[in-house]
Amino acid sequence: MSTYRDRLAALRRTLAENRYDGFVVPLTDEHMSEYVGSYAQRLAWLTGFEGSAGSAVVLSREAGIFVDGRYTLQVRDQVDGTLYQHLGVPKVQIADWLEEKVGPGQRIGFDPWLHTRGWVEATGKRLAAKGAELVPVPENPVDRVWTDRPAPSAERFEVHGEELAGRSSAEKRAEIARWLGEKKADCVVIAALDSIAWLFNVRGRDVSRTPVALAFAIVSADGKAQLFTAPAKITPEVAAHLGPDVAILPPEAFVEALTALGKAGKTVAADPATCVAAIFQALEAGGARIVEARDPCILAKAIKNPVEIAGTKAAHVRDGAALSRFLGWFDGEAPKDTLDEITVAEKLEDFRRESNLLKDLSFDTISGAGPNGAIVHYRVSPETNRKVEQDSIFLLDSGGQYLDGTTDVTRTMIVGTPSAEMKDRFTRVLKGHIALATARFPAGTRGSQLDVLARQFLWQAGLDYAHGTGHGVGSFLSVHEGPQRIATFGGGDEPLAAGMIVSNEPGYYKTGEYGIRIENLVLVVPVEVEGAEQSLLGFETLTLAPIDLRLVDIGLLGDEERAWLNAYHARVRETLTPIVPEDVRGWLAEATRAI
C-alpha cells in the first residue's frame, strides 16, 4: 500500500511530465457537493484528510492544505505537516498562497469539473498578475496516479412518493417553467444532486449518508426535462414515476446537449454556485446566451411543505426515543470504565435501527471523549479511539436518515463529576441556545443577524467557537442544506422564511481537554405577539432529547431560561414516555426533572 508521501511524489511526477508546475485538489465532485462518493475522495486519498471541507495545492517543491476553523485540530492529526503546510481559511485563501509562490511562465492546473467559474476567473486573474497561468486539465492527474480509484456508484434510483414529498415532480417542474418565463430563458441546468432528488421526487444511494443519485438535468420552459444518468440506474418503477416528459440520457451525452443548446440559439439559466466551470465552458462553446441565476430548486426545497413538516416531526419523535434510550444506557454503562468512542457510536446506531425505519445515518457520528470532543468535526477511527473516562465530558453529534425526515442532534454528557469550569462553559452555551430558540424577529431577518444571540454569553467571558451556529437541513436529503444559515461568516445572508429547518448549535471547545455543543433542529414558524406592528417569525424546536442537567450551573440561569428548559424537558418527557420501554421511563423522568 502506498504512503501519502508516495502518492504526493507520484502526482508531482505526473504534473512534471505534463508541464504543470502545480495542481489544485478540492474536496468536491462535478456537482459541487459537500459530501461526495468514494470515487471523488481525491483529497482524502492524496493527503489523508477526512473532513468534509478542504482543498490542497501541490507545487513542485511544496504543498499546502487549506481548511477552516472546524478542522484546525483534525488536519494536524491526519495530514503530515512535513508534506503539507496547514493553512487556515478564510485568513489564507488558495489564491493568496499561490500568488505568493508562483512566478512568470508557471502553469497551475485545475480540473474544470471541480471548480466554479467564479473561482477560476478570480484565481486566474491573481496568477496572471504574476505572469503565471491557471490551466484547465483534460484529465485529472490525481485520477491518473490513483490506480485503485473506485468507480462511481451503480446503485439504482428510488422513488420518493408524493405521500412523502407533498408535491408531485410535475408540479415542481411547472413551477420552474414559470420561473424560466420570468427569466426569459428557454431552459435551466440543474447540477446539484439534492436539487435533482427534490425536483424529480427520487432518492439514491450514490453518496454515503446522503440519499442522492448521480445525475445532471436540463429543465425546459415547457416543464419537460432531460435527466443525464447511467440508464442502468433507472428501474421500470422509476421510469414510470418520471413519466414521458422526462427523457433519460447517458452521462456522456450531457456536454453534447449543453453545446447543442448554444447552437440552437437557446437562452440557458445556470447557477454559478452549483454549476462547475466545465458546464459554462460547454454552453459558451456552443454560443448559448447564459443567464446566471440561483438554482430555482434551492429556496423551494428549503421551505418545507405541510407534508414534509409533518414527516420531520414524526422522524424527530422516533429519533428522540432512540436517543433517549441510548442516553439512559450510556448513564448506566459509562461509570463501569468499559466504553470507548467506537462502542458508543455503534450502540447509538443500534438503538436507531431498532425502529426498522432508519435508512442510514445522516452523517458519520461524532463520538468524542474528553479532548477528542474539542475537535469540532471529529471522526473516530481505530487509531484515535479513546476510552470514556471518569470526570470527563463526552460529546455526541449524530443523526438519522428516515424516509419522512432527516435528524441532526448533539448532546454533551458528563461522566462522573464536572468541574466548575465545565459547568460554567456548558451553561453559557445553553444560555445562547435558549436565546436563539426563543428569538422573535421580523420577516426578512437573516441568519447573520441572529448569530450573536447564541454567542453573547460566551463573549462575555472572552470565549467563542469557530463554526456557524446553524445550518439548513433537508427532508430525507442533505443534513447540510442551503441557502439558510445562522452564521456571521461563510453565509447567513438568506432571509429566514416560515417552513425552513435550521440547526441551533452553539458550542465551546477547550483544546486538549473537552468539547461542548448543544444542538437541536428548529422550524421557522410565524408567531403572534400581542401589539406587534409587523409580521414576526420564531423557532419551534423539533429535536426531543434530554439536555444533561448535571452540567447546568442553575445560578447562571435567569427565571425565563429555567422556565424554557423546564418546559422543553416536560415536552420531551410527555412525548417520549409512552413510546420508550418501561425500564427507560424512570431514567427519563429524572433526566427531564424540573429545576
Side-chain angles (χ1 to χ4, degrees), residues 381-548:
S381 68
E383 294 74 29
T384 64
N385 188 26
R386 286 183 67 93
K387 290 197 68 175
V388 178
E389 299 175 346
Q390 293 304 301
D391 302 331
S392 70
I393 280 178
F394 196 95
L395 186 150
L396 189 67
D397 188 348
S398 67
Q401 292 283 13
Y402 303 92
L403 287 176
D404 50 0
T406 299
T407 69
D408 181 4
V409 50
T410 307
R411 287 297 180 263
T412 304
M413 300 90 77
I414 185 65
V415 180
T417 304
S419 67
E421 179 190 275
M422 290 173 177
K423 293 182 72 171
D424 175 88
R425 302 307 191 249
F426 183 90
T427 308
R428 290 178 186 277
V429 172
L430 176 61
K431 286 167 71 72
H433 180 97
I434 294 170
L436 189 57
T438 56
R440 300 289 180 264
F441 46 93
T445 297
R446 291 159 166 77
S448 57
Q449 295 173 273
L450 301 179
D451 186 78
V452 64
L453 296 176
R455 297 179 192 269
Q456 58 182 311
F457 303 103
L458 289 165
W459 284 359
Q460 287 171 2
L463 310 169
D464 204 354
Y465 51 93
H467 59 75
T469 301
H471 57 83
V473 177
S475 180
F476 188 42
L477 271 176
S478 176
V479 75
H480 289 165
E481 178 180 88
Q484 71 275 24
R485 287 193 70 207
I486 299 175
T488 52
F489 51 88
D493 288 332
E494 181 68 31
L496 296 174
M500 288 179 171
I501 297 172
V502 68
S503 64
N504 172 1
E505 53 177 309
Y508 170 74
Y509 311 91
K510 188 170 186 179
T511 301
E513 295 197 28
Y514 59 85
I516 293 166
R517 187 159 63 249
I518 303 170
E519 178 186 18
N520 287 340
L521 297 191
V522 296
L523 175 70
V524 183
V525 294
V527 294
E528 296 291 333
V529 175
E530 187 175 350
E533 298 180 353
Q534 56 187 317
S535 298
L536 293 176
L537 298 171
F539 296 119
E540 176 186 339
T541 297
L542 299 171
T543 303
L544 296 166
I547 294 169
D548 197 335

Side-chain angles (χ1 to χ4, degrees), residues 187-200:
C187 58
V188 59
V189 179
I190 306 293
L193 297 181
D194 60 341
S195 290
I196 288 171
W198 175 86
L199 177 61
F200 293 100

Side-chain angles (χ1 to χ4, degrees), residues 8 25 80 106 116-117 121 165 177 191 206 221 228 239 244 291 335 345-346 353 359 389 422 531 535 568:
L8 181 59
V25 185
D80 188 340
Q106 290 193 310
T116 65
R117 183 171 67 165
E121 290 175 349
D206 290 346
F228 299 86
V291 175
E346 290 175 343
R353 290 201 180 279
K359 304 299 286 185
E389 299 175 346
M422 290 173 177
S535 298
Y568 175 71

Side-chain angles (χ1 to χ4, degrees), residues 193-425:
L193 297 181
D194 60 341
S195 290
I196 288 171
W198 175 86
L199 177 61
F200 293 100
N201 285 350
V202 292
R203 298 294 188 265
R205 300 173 182 267
D206 290 346
V207 177
S208 176
R209 313 307 194 199
T210 306
V212 293
L214 296 173
F216 290 99
I218 299 173
V219 182
S220 299
D222 59 3
K224 294 182 179 180
Q226 296 171 297
L227 188 63
F228 299 86
T229 191
K233 296 170 74 69
I234 304 295
T235 65
E237 180 191 11
V238 171
H241 162 75
L242 293 172
D245 289 339
V246 179
I248 307 300
L249 297 163
E252 52 269 24
F254 181 52
V255 170
E256 182 182 333
L258 294 174
T259 305
L261 289 171
K263 291 180 178 177
K266 300 295 185 181
T267 297
V268 183
D271 186 344
T274 59
C275 290
V276 295
I279 290 174
F280 284 95
Q281 289 172 4
L283 290 170
E284 289 164 352
R289 177 178 174 269
I290 299 172
V291 175
E292 292 191 4
R294 184 164 71 183
D295 175 347
C297 299
I298 287 179
L299 186 58
K301 171 167 53 67
I303 298 175
K304 307 299 183 279
N305 63 51
V307 170
E308 291 171 320
I309 291 170
T312 199
K313 288 182 176 181
H316 277 87
V317 171
R318 184 185 314 125
D319 200 67
L323 180 56
S324 295
R325 291 178 62 198
F326 162 82
L327 291 172
W329 171 87
F330 181 88
D331 261 9
E333 294 296 318
K336 299 178 183 178
D337 293 325
T338 58
L339 299 183
D340 58 37
E341 294 168 341
I342 291 177
T343 304
V344 167
E346 290 175 343
K347 188 65 177 180
L348 176 55
E349 184 173 351
D350 287 344
F351 277 116
R352 281 195 166 106
R353 290 201 180 279
E354 283 185 20
S355 70
N356 292 320
L357 295 173
L358 184 77
K359 304 299 286 185
D360 195 358
L361 301 182
S362 55
F363 55 96
D364 290 331
T365 298
I366 299 170
S367 178
N372 284 346
I375 303 171
V376 177
H377 275 202
Y378 172 71
R379 185 166 68 180
V380 62
S381 68
E383 294 74 29
T384 64
N385 188 26
R386 286 183 67 93
K387 290 197 68 175
V388 178
E389 299 175 346
Q390 293 304 301
D391 302 331
S392 70
I393 280 178
F394 196 95
L395 186 150
L396 189 67
D397 188 348
S398 67
Q401 292 283 13
Y402 303 92
L403 287 176
D404 50 0
T406 299
T407 69
D408 181 4
V409 50
T410 307
R411 287 297 180 263
T412 304
M413 300 90 77
I414 185 65
V415 180
T417 304
S419 67
E421 179 190 275
M422 290 173 177
K423 293 182 72 171
D424 175 88
R425 302 307 191 249

